[in-house]
Amino acid sequence: ETGVTQSPTHLIKTRGQQVTLRCSSQSGHNTVSWYQQALGQGPQFIFQYYREEENGRGNFPPRFSGLQFPNYSSELNVNALELDDSALYLCASSLPSGTAKNIQYFGAGTRLSVL
Amino acid sequence: GQNIDQPTEMTATEGAIVQINCTYQTSGFNGLFWYQQHAGEAPTFLSYNVLDGLEEKGRFSSFLSRSKGYSYLLLKELQMKDSASYLCAKPGAGSYQLTFGKGTKLSVIP
């Protein structure tokens, strides 16, 4: 148990719809990162939030957006869903960059299926 | 670049020792992580190496050679529950956004 919780655990959407995924970070962690993991692949970095600001972004289009709230919880929003968006979406929380080791602790993920 | 390469699959016998290798581009080195991921579950932290050498933690050890851009994870006294994917990951230069390899799927057989 990492203390990082994600909801929902599973979700089915159709192409063109919008989806919001949620994450509660581990107590004391103010940095949240989101990753997309396709089947049989390693997680790919989407973006990171620190103190409610985006703090780095991977190679994902603008229809992937996020928010971080004052309690450090976070949302990932995906608009205009495409079939290729079907994946496991992982949230990871950590102490701020520069902290020793800065280990990222992952939630169990949300499995998104786009039909 | 951050290319991280590791074998796709490995099979080993219960009770044996297995070594999972990882190579990476050395530019902007900021440490190397290993995570374990059981099917359908979250990656869980195993080790972090920033200096050369071997770090031992129970049945699991991790080795790093910064000059060679090479790391390995060593699993001793394999158990059936060690069947999982093992992910090698590197933070980006100046940031802690992780770039992962594709993972090595380890199957432990009786």
Side-chain angles (χ1 to χ4, degrees), chain A residues 35 37 40-43 45 48 55-57 88 90 97-99 101-104 106-108, chain B residues 33 35 37 40-45 48 55 57 87 94-103:
Chain A
Y35 294 82
Q37 186 175 25
Q41 302 293 313
F45 175 73
Q48 183 180 82
N55 182 39
R57 188 179 184 93
L88 180 67
L90 295 163
S97 296
T99 308
K101 292 194 177 181
N102 197 54
I103 298 165
Q104 294 192 18
F106 286 83
Chain B
F33 289 87
Y35 281 82
Q37 187 178 27
E41 297 183 11
T44 55
F45 169 77
Y48 173 67
E55 289 199 9
K57 197 186 294 185
L87 300 162
S95 74
Y96 286 81
Q97 303 152 4
L98 293 175
T99 298
F100 284 85
K102 292 185 177 181

Side-chain angles (χ1 to χ4, degrees), chain A residues 28-105:
Chain A
H29 287 184
N30 58 9
T31 301
V32 174
S33 303
W34 285 91
Y35 294 82
Q36 180 195 66
Q37 186 175 25
L39 206 60
Q41 302 293 313
Q44 280 204 299
F45 175 73
I46 303 175
F47 43 56
Q48 183 180 82
Y49 277 82
Y50 169 63
R51 288 187 170 180
E52 303 174 56
E53 299 278 336
E54 188 178 287
N55 182 39
R57 188 179 184 93
N59 189 25
F60 280 81
R63 60 189 184 83
F64 285 77
S65 63
L67 282 173
Q68 188 181 29
F69 301 99
N71 66 354
Y72 305 134
S73 66
S74 178
E75 287 182 355
L76 165 66
N77 299 289
V78 188
N79 294 323
L81 282 167
E82 301 177 358
L83 298 180
D84 284 350
D85 296 333
S86 296
L88 180 67
Y89 288 85
L90 295 163
C91 167
S93 76
S94 58
L95 294 168
S97 296
T99 308
K101 292 194 177 181
N102 197 54
I103 298 165
Q104 294 192 18
Y105 295 93

Side-chain angles (χ1 to χ4, degrees), chain B residues 21-107:
Chain B
N21 296 325
C22 171
T23 58
Y24 60 89
Q25 293 192 354
T26 58
S27 59
F29 182 75
N30 206 11
L32 200 83
F33 289 87
W34 283 96
Y35 281 82
Q36 179 193 59
Q37 187 178 27
H38 286 99
E41 297 183 11
T44 55
F45 169 77
L46 290 178
S47 68
Y48 173 67
N49 293 69
V50 66
L51 299 175
D52 290 350
L54 184 69
E55 289 199 9
E56 298 186 65
K57 197 186 294 185
R59 293 191 300 114
F60 291 11
S61 303
S62 55
F63 172 83
L64 179 69
S65 169
R66 289 174 293 173
S67 61
K68 294 181 180 177
Y70 168 66
S71 174
Y72 67 73
L73 183 69
L74 193 71
L75 292 74
K76 302 177 187 174
E77 300 168 18
L78 279 171
Q79 302 175 9
M80 299 300 290
K81 68 178 182 179
D82 297 330
S83 293
S85 284
Y86 291 86
L87 300 162
C88 177
K90 180 172 175 284
S95 74
Y96 286 81
Q97 303 152 4
L98 293 175
T99 298
F100 284 85
K102 292 185 177 181
T104 299
K105 184 178 178 182
L106 175 66
S107 299

